[in-house]
């Protein structure tokens, strides 16, 4: 930051940047890290600062084979910048920090702070301690110190928000390291969840996504198998809350009461993202997934019977150790039967520290790649066919911010339908804001989006749009160098997002 004749309040401010890798849990944790730093007096660095901040925080993911190489490569690029800028600090948190601990400082001794998934609230204190003591601070809690939703949050959106209902996971999937790094499932009190949602709605949020590593297992702490369906119904009674989503459920816990709650609660959206991972019963057993193909497809059948227009998406791993061509054919069969609106397909890669990494029968990369291409081509055609069924439908689209990269060139806007499909539509004759709702007729379908090329049928301004406008106006009015404060509203890029399954949620 430049020096000069500035007031003491501005002089003590430092800038920060948070870089996020992995799943929605990490995205939401990064919102909390931003809130903590702003509460401690830091101001967010401008977009594209690329390490040109006083504090750079890496919120890491540990589930990819090359996750550590990616981290150390990025840390290496910051080393010369730090040498030139005395006082600059670098912190590493998240799943890789929880896993590698002392290794990070050994390999990158210019890192100032290493913290884990259970103690993100300590970041400002650790940064200050590192500055005073002039040595790296490593603090990894072995269990959750406090439910993270009690921490301040700088939410990224004014109209949609993540709301965590649980942390951790009790499953033992052989490809996933998350339970070892996030710990056993811990549920949040229902009253606290609803209080947070009500506060968000009061600030203008109109869409929330309930978030958990295994979201529909909610209630396991208290032994109430219907706690999640009860929570969905309670969300339906919150006035002003227009859209409720959740991610990611596990088929094991997807009971009939959850389907009924989805179908009977008007503001619970007709959308389901449920990881299948494989269509082969033999592979599912090796993965320690507690369901089989018939059970999974049975759930989808029940969901569609209750909500015929529901859009269903999934995660699939190709090339799990020991997967035969017959196993892969079963996955292809399940995909044809399920007719997913979207599927996030991944080539299996070793996740260090997981049982699958040491299994016999690791599949050659060229075989995995060939299967992946076949599956991707099949799902691409199914996605396109399913989207074509939307042509001619009238949809209420919630206007989104940043969803349409070509909106400026095409003079369109973009948003999400109730089933979460991405819709690009012609700009109406009046101004609309993110969070407002536009009624359109679909005229064209592509595999991954819909087009509404005619004049919108209606525009409904909303409190969410008001909140977006208020926040944007307030940010623009702030003079340079003065902290923006702590927005308390907004949140996720709606599902499906490319990051969705990256840390094994579900």
């Amino acid at each position: 930051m430049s020096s000069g004749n500035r007031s003491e309040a501005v002089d003590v401010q430092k800038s920060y940047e948070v870089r996020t890798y992995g799943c929605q849990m990490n995205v939401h944790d990064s919102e909390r890290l931003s809130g903590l730093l702003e509460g401690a007096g830091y101001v967010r660095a401008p977009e594209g600062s690329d390490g040109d901040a006083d504090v750079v925080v890496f919120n890491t993911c540990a589930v990819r084979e090359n996750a550590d190489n990616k981290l150390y490569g990025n840390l290496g690029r910051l080393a010369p910048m730090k040498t030139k800028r005395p006082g600059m600090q670098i912190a590493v948190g998240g799943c890789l920090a929880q896993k590698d601990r002392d290794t990070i400082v050994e390999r990158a001794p210019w890192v100032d702070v290493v913290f884990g998934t259970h103690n993100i609230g300590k970041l400002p204190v650790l940064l200050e301690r590192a500055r005073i003591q002039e040595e790296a601070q490593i603090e990894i809690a072995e269990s959750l110190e406090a439910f993270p939703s009690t921490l301040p949050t700088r939410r990224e959106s004014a109209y949609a928000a993540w709301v965590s209902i649980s942390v951790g996971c009790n499953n033992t999937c052989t490809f996933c390291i998350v339970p070892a790094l996030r710990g056993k499932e811990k549920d949040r009190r229902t009253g606290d969840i609803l209080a947070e949602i009500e506060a968000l709605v009061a600030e203008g949020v109109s869409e929330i996504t309930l978030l958990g590593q295994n979201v529909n297992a909610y209630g396991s702490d208290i032994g109430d198998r219907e706690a999640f369906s009860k929570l969905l119904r309670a969300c339906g009674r919150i006035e002003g809350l227009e859209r409720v989503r959740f991610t990611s459920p596990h088929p094991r816990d997807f009971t009939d009461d959850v389907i009924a709650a989805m179908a009977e609660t008007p503001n619970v959206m007709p959308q389901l993202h449920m990881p299948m991972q494989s269509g082969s019963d033999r592979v599912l057993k090796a993965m320690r997934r507690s369901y089989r193909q018939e059970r999974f497809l049975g759930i989808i059948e029940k969901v569609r019977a209750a909500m015929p227009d529901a859009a269903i998406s999934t995660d699939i791993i190709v090339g799990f150790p020991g997967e035969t061509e017959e196993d892969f054919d079963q996955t292809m069969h399940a995909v044809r039967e399920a007719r997913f609106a979207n599927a996030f397909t991944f080539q299996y890669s070793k996740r260090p520290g997981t049982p699958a990494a040491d299994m016999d029968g690791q599949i050659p990369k060229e075989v995995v790649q060939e299967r992946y291409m076949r599956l991707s081509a099949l799902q691409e055609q199914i996605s396109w066919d399913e989207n074509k069924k939307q042509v001619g439908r009238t949809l209420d689209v919630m206007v989104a911010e940043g969803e349409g990269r070509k909106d400026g060139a095409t003079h369109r806007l973009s948003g999400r339908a109730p089933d979460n499909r991405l819709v690009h539509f012609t700009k109406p004759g009046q101004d609309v804001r993110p969070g407002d709702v536009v009624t359109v007729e679909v005229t064209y379908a592509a595999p991954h989006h819909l087009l509404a090329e005619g004049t919108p049928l209606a525009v409904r301004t909303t409190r969410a749009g008001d909140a977006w406008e208020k926040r944007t106006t307030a940010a623009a009015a702030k003079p340079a160098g003065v902290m923006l404060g702590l927005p308390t509203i907004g949140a996720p890029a709606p599902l499906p997002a490319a990051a969705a399954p990256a840390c094994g949620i579900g």
Side-chain angles (χ1 to χ4, degrees), residues 4-16:
N5 296 322
R6 296 176 297 179
S7 68
E8 183 177 351
V10 174
D11 200 41
V12 298
Q13 286 184 323
K14 294 183 178 182
S15 60
Y16 77 90

Side-chain angles (χ1 to χ4, degrees), residues 201-407:
V201 172
E203 294 285 352
V205 168
S206 61
E207 176 179 313
I208 61 102
T209 301
L210 303 175
L211 188 61
Q213 215 76 47
N214 184 11
V215 69
N216 60 328
Y218 178 75
S220 61
D221 273 0
I222 57 176
D224 184 356
R225 287 184 57 83
E226 296 190 356
F228 185 64
S229 62
K230 293 174 183 175
L231 178 60
L232 291 179
R233 292 183 186 277
C235 288
R237 295 190 288 271
I238 297 177
E239 187 175 352
L241 179 59
E242 296 192 14
R243 296 186 174 190
V244 177
R245 306 186 192 276
F246 57 89
T247 193
S248 287
H250 193 290
R252 182 195 66 189
D253 302 298
F254 214 96
T255 48
D256 290 349
D257 61 294
V258 173
I259 298 173
M262 291 178 67
E264 296 168 9
T265 309
N267 64 356
V268 175
M269 295 294 96
Q271 176 228 340
L272 173 63
H273 181 83
M274 185 169 64
M276 181 177 74
Q277 306 300 9
S278 175
S280 163
D281 290 353
R282 196 184 67 81
V283 172
L284 288 170
K285 183 178 180 180
M287 289 177 167
R288 288 191 202 146
R289 301 289 284 182
S290 55
Y291 56 90
R292 300 296 177 258
Q293 183 190 114
E294 183 178 3
R295 160 74 172 153
F296 187 92
L297 294 177
I299 293 171
I300 290 179
E301 185 178 355
K302 288 181 179 179
V303 169
R304 289 210 168 107
M307 294 170 287
D309 294 329
I312 300 173
S313 55
T314 196
D315 304 334
I316 302 173
I317 297 172
V318 177
F320 188 80
E323 180 188 76
T324 65
E325 187 64 27
E326 183 180 355
D327 292 324
F328 179 69
D329 286 344
Q330 284 299 303
T331 295
M332 296 284 277
H333 169 74
V335 168
R336 292 187 187 96
E337 291 294 310
R339 303 202 62 80
F340 298 113
N342 204 313
F344 299 98
T345 55
F346 297 91
Q347 298 181 49
Y348 173 78
S349 63
K350 289 184 179 180
R351 291 157 163 83
T354 64
D358 299 320
M359 285 182 175
D360 294 333
Q362 301 287 328
I363 311 297
K365 183 170 179 58
E366 59 272 17
V367 175
V368 178
Q369 173 71 16
E370 191 274 335
R371 290 176 184 171
Y372 172 81
M373 295 301 292
R374 274 192 281 157
L375 177 59
S376 296
L378 172 63
Q379 181 56 52
E380 184 88 352
Q381 186 60 55
I382 291 173
S383 295
W384 197 1
D385 290 342
E386 292 301 304
N387 274 0
K388 287 175 183 176
K389 297 177 183 178
Q390 305 297 309
V391 174
R393 290 192 64 193
T394 298
L395 303 176
D396 288 333
V397 177
M398 182 178 289
V399 183
E401 184 174 28
E403 290 263 29
R405 289 172 294 179
K406 299 180 181 178
D407 282 351

Side-chain angles (χ1 to χ4, degrees), residues 472-491:
T472 304
T473 302
K478 293 287 184 181
V482 178
M483 195 169 80
L484 297 180
L486 267 175
T488 57
I489 53 178

Side-chain angles (χ1 to χ4, degrees), residues 18-329:
V18 179
R19 300 186 185 183
T20 309
Y21 304 90
C23 66
Q24 299 100 324
M25 302 292 283
N26 270 15
V27 172
H28 195 20
D29 280 349
S30 289
E31 291 183 330
R32 295 173 180 130
L33 292 170
S34 296
L36 285 161
L37 290 169
E38 294 192 4
Y42 294 86
V43 61
R44 192 174 192 174
E47 293 291 331
S49 57
D50 194 25
D52 188 22
D54 297 294
V55 172
V56 179
V57 183
F58 291 86
N59 190 8
T60 64
C61 173
V63 303
R64 291 285 177 249
E65 188 174 14
N66 64 347
D68 54 347
N69 293 331
K70 188 170 185 178
L71 170 66
Y72 294 118
N74 286 325
L75 290 175
R77 283 189 284 274
L78 289 184
M81 298 177 67
K82 188 176 181 186
T83 301
K84 296 176 183 177
R85 297 185 58 196
M88 179 182 178
Q89 291 184 297
I90 300 171
V92 179
C95 289
L96 193 63
Q98 186 79 21
K99 173 177 164 290
D100 286 356
R101 308 182 181 218
D102 296 338
T103 305
I104 293 172
V105 173
E106 290 174 4
R107 292 184 59 176
W110 54 92
V111 168
D112 299 277
V113 171
V114 179
F115 61 102
T117 59
H118 299 306
N119 62 330
I120 63 176
K122 292 288 186 67
L123 177 60
V125 172
L126 294 172
L127 288 168
E128 183 66 7
R129 193 187 300 165
R131 185 185 65 80
I132 294 172
Q133 298 182 7
E134 297 184 340
E135 64 179 14
Q137 301 296 307
I138 303 171
E139 188 167 312
I140 306 291
E142 296 300 330
S143 59
L144 194 66
E145 296 181 345
F147 203 93
S149 286
T150 62
L151 300 174
T153 301
R154 186 198 192 282
R155 298 187 182 269
E156 295 299 320
S157 165
Y159 56 89
W162 302 116
V163 176
S164 289
I165 70 170
S166 64
V167 293
C169 181
N170 294 338
N171 293 319
T172 58
C173 301
T174 55
F175 57 80
C176 184
I177 198 170
V178 168
L181 303 180
R182 292 273 182 178
K184 292 294 185 181
E185 182 175 322
K186 184 174 180 58
D187 294 336
R188 197 173 165 204
R189 289 182 62 252
T190 302
D192 292 342
I193 296 169
L194 295 175
E196 180 181 358
I197 295 172
E198 289 170 351
L200 289 166
V201 172
E203 294 285 352
V205 168
S206 61
E207 176 179 313
I208 61 102
T209 301
L210 303 175
L211 188 61
Q213 215 76 47
N214 184 11
V215 69
N216 60 328
Y218 178 75
S220 61
D221 273 0
I222 57 176
D224 184 356
R225 287 184 57 83
E226 296 190 356
F228 185 64
S229 62
K230 293 174 183 175
L231 178 60
L232 291 179
R233 292 183 186 277
C235 288
R237 295 190 288 271
I238 297 177
E239 187 175 352
L241 179 59
E242 296 192 14
R243 296 186 174 190
V244 177
R245 306 186 192 276
F246 57 89
T247 193
S248 287
H250 193 290
R252 182 195 66 189
D253 302 298
F254 214 96
T255 48
D256 290 349
D257 61 294
V258 173
I259 298 173
M262 291 178 67
E264 296 168 9
T265 309
N267 64 356
V268 175
M269 295 294 96
Q271 176 228 340
L272 173 63
H273 181 83
M274 185 169 64
M276 181 177 74
Q277 306 300 9
S278 175
S280 163
D281 290 353
R282 196 184 67 81
V283 172
L284 288 170
K285 183 178 180 180
M287 289 177 167
R288 288 191 202 146
R289 301 289 284 182
S290 55
Y291 56 90
R292 300 296 177 258
Q293 183 190 114
E294 183 178 3
R295 160 74 172 153
F296 187 92
L297 294 177
I299 293 171
I300 290 179
E301 185 178 355
K302 288 181 179 179
V303 169
R304 289 210 168 107
M307 294 170 287
D309 294 329
I312 300 173
S313 55
T314 196
D315 304 334
I316 302 173
I317 297 172
V318 177
F320 188 80
E323 180 188 76
T324 65
E325 187 64 27
E326 183 180 355
D327 292 324
F328 179 69
D329 286 344

Side-chain angles (χ1 to χ4, degrees), residues 409-421:
T410 58
H411 303 290
R412 295 178 180 137
L413 295 176
S414 299
R416 294 280 170 172
D419 64 8
N420 209 39
R421 282 183 166 91

